[in-house]
Amino acid sequence: MARKQVSGEESAGAGWKTQARYWLISVSLILLVAIGFFVYYRVEQFLTSDQSFLFRGPSEYGSSGPCLKIDGLVYASREKVVNILAEDFGRSVYLIPLEERRLRLLAIDWVRDVSVSRLWPDRLVVRINERTPVAFIQLPVSRDGTSFRMALIDAEGVILEPPPRASFTLPVLTGIRGEQSQRMRRDRVQMALRLVQELGKLADEISEIDVLDAGNLKVTQQIGGRTVVLMMGNGNFLPRFQNFLNHY
């Protein structure tokens, strides 16, 4: 069987073509990467410096038009929200660190969750989900425990400062302390809410619920012109309360 003979010149020529192809591909890739970096740089430069992307403050800061929109704000302080974002006034919205601003906004009283998003070309939208208070609490302000101040608390055990000019019809809890962990406060609040839910309309006559001992809730009840304290345990609240009323 005859075999084709390949000369040295033909082999060298094929090798040179292969190398040339590899060099052409490499140079093309380098050019594409360089062009990509150049385009990215120019676009970023445009987003950071063009006046159309400038984040201007709300009208109270002398802006001709509000670029900041805040949704869901009822009891949380608008001033605190604006102050956190004030350092971004006068810069491009592209440069605003959204996640960092979101974490700072979460630290504001009454803010349960919040999102911060850009609305191109020059606006910022803040959407706030506020906490919902479920009870009043008495927080001691003196070491001997004889002086208290009123505050609010939500179902997650987060203590809230009462907002001005706001009215709530909520049960009053005692035994909550600021130094307690949030989990401890949450468990006690949840148990008190379960008691109120079980009693239904009967809970309207209760003036206070003592949750200091999570294993034995105590309720202060006005009945027959007298104030009585009932030990309700940690369950079966309605049968126990009804049994007291039947035999009082």
Side-chain angles (χ1 to χ4, degrees):
M1 182 177 180
R3 294 184 179 181
K4 183 179 179 180
Q5 299 294 325
V6 179
S7 67
E9 293 181 356
E10 291 178 346
S11 177
W16 181 86
K17 290 180 180 179
T18 301
Q19 290 182 359
R21 188 181 300 113
Y22 287 153
W23 274 104
L24 182 61
I25 293 174
S26 299
V27 171
S28 299
L29 290 175
I30 292 173
L31 287 175
L32 286 175
V33 171
I35 293 172
F37 275 113
F38 177 76
V39 172
Y40 173 80
Y41 170 76
R42 295 294 295 175
V43 170
E44 186 175 49
Q45 189 178 44
F46 173 68
L47 291 174
T48 57
S49 61
D50 193 88
Q51 291 294 307
S52 60
F53 302 108
L54 195 65
F55 178 53
R56 298 175 176 86
S59 56
E60 57 263 36
Y61 286 83
S63 172
S64 58
C67 289
L68 176 60
K69 182 181 180 182
I70 304 174
D71 292 332
L73 200 66
V74 180
Y75 301 118
S77 170
R78 177 182 176 84
E79 181 181 1
K80 290 181 179 179
V81 174
V82 174
N83 285 342
I84 288 176
L85 300 171
E87 61 189 82
D88 296 312
F89 296 154
R91 68 192 301 192
S92 170
V93 294
Y94 174 75
L95 296 174
I96 300 176
L98 300 184
E99 183 60 21
E100 180 182 330
R101 297 295 178 264
R102 176 182 174 273
L103 293 176
R104 290 180 60 186
L105 291 170
L106 282 173
I108 295 177
D109 192 32
W110 284 87
V111 175
R112 184 175 184 272
D113 197 10
V114 60
S115 66
V116 184
S117 56
R118 299 181 184 91
L119 190 60
W120 298 100
D122 61 349
R123 300 183 67 190
L124 208 64
V125 179
V126 177
R127 295 181 175 88
I128 292 176
N129 180 15
E130 290 191 342
R131 296 187 178 276
T132 302
V134 296
F136 286 101
I137 58 175
Q138 293 181 343
L139 293 176
V141 295
S142 61
R143 293 183 178 180
D144 57 6
T146 59
S147 180
F148 298 87
R149 70 177 181 90
M150 297 301 295
L152 294 161
I153 195 167
D154 73 350
E156 296 177 2
V158 176
I159 298 174
L160 307 168
E161 293 300 321
R165 298 180 299 278
S167 178
F168 301 96
T169 303
L170 299 169
V172 177
L173 305 185
T174 61
I176 296 290
R177 301 288 185 266
E179 61 270 17
Q180 294 170 338
S181 67
Q182 182 180 337
R183 180 176 180 180
M184 291 178 62
R185 295 195 299 265
R186 181 197 64 197
D187 293 344
R188 283 160 172 75
V189 170
Q190 293 288 343
M191 189 170 293
L193 292 178
R194 183 158 56 87
L195 182 147
V196 171
Q197 183 178 14
E198 285 190 24
L199 296 188
K201 288 293 184 180
L202 295 175
D204 295 341
E205 303 301 321
I206 295 176
S207 58
E208 289 182 3
I209 305 174
D210 186 345
V211 296
L212 182 60
D213 182 359
N216 184 21
L217 300 192
K218 301 174 184 177
V219 300
T220 301
Q221 164 85 5
Q222 301 292 330
I223 185 169
R226 298 179 58 187
T227 300
V228 296
V229 178
L230 307 179
M231 297 183 181
M232 301 293 292
N234 59 2
N236 298 318
F237 300 122
L238 181 58
R240 291 178 176 180
F241 194 79
Q242 192 65 60
N243 185 58
F244 163 76
L245 295 178
N246 294 338
H247 295 86
Y248 180 75

